[in-house]
Amino acid sequence: MNFLYDGAINEVAGIFMRGKFRKVLFVADEDAYRVCGADTALESVFEHCLVSRFVGFELNPKLIDIQRGIEVSREFSPDVIVALGGGTAIDLGKLIGSLSVQSADSPDIIRGSDTITQKGPPLIAIPTTAGTGSEETHFAVAYIGDKKFSIAHEFLLPDHSIVDPQLTHSLPARITAATGLDAFCQAIESIWAVGGTEESTDFASEAVEIAVANIVQAVVEPTPATRMAMCRASNLAGKAINISKTTAPHALSYYLTSRYGIPHGIAVALTLTPMLTYNADVCENDCADPRGAEHVQRRIETIVKLLGASNPREACERFSEIVSKIGCPRSLAEAGITTTDQLQNIVSSVNEQRMLNNPRKTTSASLIELLS
Ligand code: NAD
């Protein structure tokens, strides 16, 4: 079941009662839990349960933390997992719950050389950022060393998502900006994605509309209404990419995060406008979408209109203005990435699967040219 309203955290009690849950593995971002205000509702539910707490992990799920969590889960054998935090905690909850019941080795599943075959314990996802939309997706991100993997399986989709915008009131401006940009870019990419459908485009268009109207105020002068709006945008963007998947800006972002420590959403936004310009010039010869270049052009027009612009160049300006108003770098150069060597490293470490979902085909040379 999915809930999205102020106070939705109180739904956890009913879910526990209906599921008769008694042994809970609580995967929580401690910093977020301390400040987000979920403790009153959750601790009163946990009082009646055996609770194992998995905390103290690094941001962006690392193999070592996943393996540590799997050991805890196998020993404790929970009948439910509650994951609370940003995308890191929710993806860890997905991976720990699911990988702890597989017979295959976790690194093999993460690398894609083996697969998930069993469903793990029920998962309740409680996001405290707005956000990744991970509560609505069947994906989880994991890092082995510098390399990022996206694991996709229907068993990774949370059984319940509790989106309580009040839990995001404690987010500082910089995290509101970075996570809001993630949702904003996911939604834009979803509209032009090869994997996009009418349904995903409807979710994504609504998400872009809401983000355009609310992201600046949510960062600069947040109100309960703008927090609620960004939670809706993020949740809709999650529903959209759950169908369409993401494209080039995401494919290019992972190295920026792992090598330079640029927060995920900010890293994605750095290449959004060059890719918008590039994708707008799609023609039949380089179109990756079997529906053809005209279809892609129509999708780009949708994005341009949603950004309140009349052509792709203006749309890029509009997007850059928003990024600048929320205090984030507008380009790779502004983020300190200026040399050809740096660009080559970014391009050579690109996530190829996500790149194939971009509507216009790319080559290493075309990417370096457009990012320069
Ligand atoms: P995050 O989980 O990495 O957390 C970022 C920071 O925000 C942390 O310092 C955390 O303590 C803090 N924080 C979280 N909630 C807070 C709150 N309410 N108040 C104060 N501080 C708070 O950030 P994220 O951007 O939500 O997640 C990023 C991760 O999600 C990346 O690993 C990314 O690859 C992944 N992701 C997954 C999916 C998916 O579908 N599975 C989609 C997009 C991104």
Side-chain angles (χ1 to χ4, degrees), residues 29-33 35-37 57-61 85-91 94 127-143 148 150-151 166-172 175 178-179 182 186 238 241 246 250 254 257 263-265:
D29 178 322
E30 275 178 305
D31 293 341
Y33 191 48
V35 294
C36 76
F57 42 79
E58 265 188 61
L59 293 182
N60 302 308
T88 298
I90 293 177
D91 283 6
K94 290 177 178 180
T128 61
T129 61
T132 66
S134 176
E135 73 279 5
E136 294 290 348
T137 76
H138 65 287
F139 313 121
V141 169
Y143 283 83
K148 175 255 170 199
S150 180
I151 305 97
Q166 287 176 341
L167 305 186
T168 67
H169 290 192
S170 54
L171 283 170
I175 303 178
T179 50
D182 189 15
Q186 281 179 352
I241 63 153
T246 54
H250 267 78
Y254 301 116
T257 296
H264 175 67

Side-chain angles (χ1 to χ4, degrees), residues 208 212 301-311 314-315 318:
V208 175
V212 168
E301 271 169 33
T302 302
I303 294 167
V304 167
K305 277 196 197 130
L306 287 166
L307 286 165
S310 53
N311 58 54
E314 261 181 43
R318 181 84 184 91

